[in-house]
Amino acid sequence: MSVSTPVPAPPSTSAAEGGAGRATLGAGSVAGRGQGSGPRERSRFRLRLSRLDTTGSPYLYIAPFFILFFVTGLFPLVYTGWVALHDWDQIMGQGPFVGLQNFADVLAGRSFWNALTNTVSIFLLSSVPQVLAALAIAGLLDHKLRAATFWRMGVLLPYVVAPVAVALIFSNLFADRFGLINTLLGTVGLDPVGWHSDRFASHVAIASMVNFRWTGYNALILLAAMQAIPRDLYEAAAIDGAGGLRRFVSITIPMLRPTMIFVIITSTIGGLQIFDEAKMYDQFGRGGSDGQWQTLTLYLYELGWNRADFGRASAVAVLLFVLIVLIGLVNFAVSRRIASQGPR
């Protein structure tokens, strides 16, 4: 009797195919993960780009202003300070370093103090009446008027007129011999005024030009602030028996304090930089035969253009800048104090 030994059967074809299928499936899954990483990386890149756009876009939007300010504002200011420290001639160019000598020469001369006095005088004669007149005009325009838009646009027309044209017209109005103002004074029996020879009279004439151009502009700014005041306050005051003048003094003016400070600051800066009106007041443009209405800007122009002394002209420009900054700081301190107190 023989015993048969079992012989192992060879692997079936189906088993081999199953192993190959599993191997193919594994390779496919690895390939799938590799292909899915591409869109995922792109989504991450888009997310980073979106975050960069959110954080960087505001700086890109305001960058042109700062670039222009650096080119046309900050760099000329710093360069003017550099020129003021040197003996700088228009023809020879930069000379030796002299330090504060240009400032000492300017402050020691009579012309600078004369120009400073004229500038302050014209500034006071123009800014103070200008702000008061603008406040009164804005109060009138704040009422319900027929054709209100026409009147509001009408007060802005003098601002549109070119400063040179205004100066030429007013210089003829205030002419010493054939001016319209002296003719009107003669009709009422008054002696003619030397609008070009008298110092104070020339300041009044130039201040009139400034007030003509800027009163309407400031009136519209104050009018915009008036219209933002709640009308309930006026109604409550009217019920309590307050008249129109009382409401204007007790409600309108206190609520306009921040805007009034802004108008005062801008009129101060403009008043200290008067040039066109004083330059075109006569045919010579030097501020009068004896400097009766020569302002700081005219004195700066004379030093830089007529005398070709850029060093001293730059020193005058720096001194004018310091004066404006000091007055601006005082106005800023006053405005903060008023804003902290609030309307009563």
Side-chain angles (χ1 to χ4, degrees):
M1 180 176 182
S2 63
V3 180
S4 60
T5 304
V7 180
S12 61
T13 306
S14 60
E17 291 177 355
R22 287 193 296 270
T24 304
L25 181 61
S29 62
V30 173
R33 288 194 298 268
Q35 293 176 359
S37 61
R40 194 173 302 171
E41 290 295 332
R42 286 194 294 269
S43 63
R44 291 178 181 175
F45 175 75
R46 291 174 182 173
L47 182 60
R48 295 194 190 112
L49 187 61
S50 177
R51 292 176 179 174
L52 181 62
D53 178 69
T54 303
T55 57
S57 294
Y59 298 98
L60 292 178
Y61 293 149
I62 64 176
F65 166 77
F66 286 99
I67 294 175
L68 291 176
F69 172 74
F70 176 80
V71 174
T72 62
L74 185 60
F75 174 74
L77 182 63
V78 175
Y79 191 72
T80 300
W82 174 260
V83 175
L85 300 176
H86 293 77
D87 185 10
W88 206 294
D89 186 78
Q90 183 179 7
I91 299 176
M92 302 303 296
Q94 180 178 351
F97 179 82
V98 295
L100 301 178
Q101 184 62 39
N102 288 326
F103 295 92
D105 294 340
V106 168
L107 293 175
R110 172 186 172 274
S111 299
F112 174 80
W113 298 106
N114 176 69
L116 179 61
T117 304
N118 295 337
T119 301
V120 175
S121 176
I122 296 174
F123 156 68
L124 293 177
L125 291 173
S126 60
S127 297
V128 176
Q130 178 187 140
V131 174
L132 296 177
L135 184 62
I137 294 174
L140 294 175
L141 294 177
D142 192 37
H143 290 78
K144 294 181 180 179
L145 301 174
R146 294 182 179 179
T149 304
F150 170 78
W151 295 110
R152 293 171 183 175
M153 294 300 297
V155 298
L156 193 62
L157 289 179
Y159 177 74
V160 182
V161 181
V164 176
V166 174
L168 290 175
I169 294 173
F170 273 78
S171 62
N172 290 321
L173 289 176
F174 289 97
D176 295 336
R177 294 184 179 181
F178 306 104
L180 178 62
I181 304 299
N182 281 337
T183 302
L184 295 177
L185 292 177
T187 57
V188 295
L190 298 178
D191 296 332
V193 179
W195 297 105
H196 288 75
S197 58
D198 185 74
R199 185 177 186 180
F200 181 76
S202 62
H203 295 179
V204 172
I206 295 175
S208 301
M209 305 180 201
V210 180
N211 293 333
F212 173 77
R213 292 195 64 239
W214 291 98
T215 300
Y217 174 82
N218 292 327
L220 289 184
I221 295 178
L222 295 174
L223 176 62
M226 287 181 183
Q227 293 181 341
I229 299 175
R231 298 300 167 180
D232 299 341
L233 300 177
Y234 295 105
E235 295 175 0
I239 293 174
D240 292 338
L245 181 60
R246 178 67 177 177
R247 293 195 298 267
F248 184 79
V249 174
S250 300
I251 298 176
T252 304
I253 294 180
M255 297 292 289
L256 289 179
R257 284 177 179 176
T259 308
M260 288 287 294
I261 294 299
F262 170 78
V263 171
I264 292 173
I265 291 176
T266 53
S267 62
T268 300
I269 296 175
L272 294 176
Q273 295 179 344
I274 293 176
F275 178 77
D276 295 334
E277 293 82 358
K279 177 70 175 177
M280 300 299 298
Y281 187 55
D282 65 351
Q283 58 181 344
F284 302 104
R286 297 183 179 180
S289 58
D290 195 26
Q292 301 96 311
W293 65 86
Q294 185 183 53
T295 60
L296 283 175
T297 52
L298 276 179
Y299 179 54
L300 187 156
Y301 179 83
E302 180 183 355
L303 288 175
W305 184 257
N306 296 333
R307 303 184 187 180
D309 192 348
F310 284 178
R312 295 185 180 181
S314 300
V316 174
V318 173
L319 292 174
L320 179 60
F321 171 76
V322 172
L323 178 63
I324 294 175
V325 169
L326 291 177
I327 297 178
L329 292 176
V330 172
N331 289 330
F332 178 73
V334 173
S335 63
R336 288 192 60 183
R337 184 178 181 86
I338 293 176
S340 62
Q341 293 176 356
R344 297 180 180 179

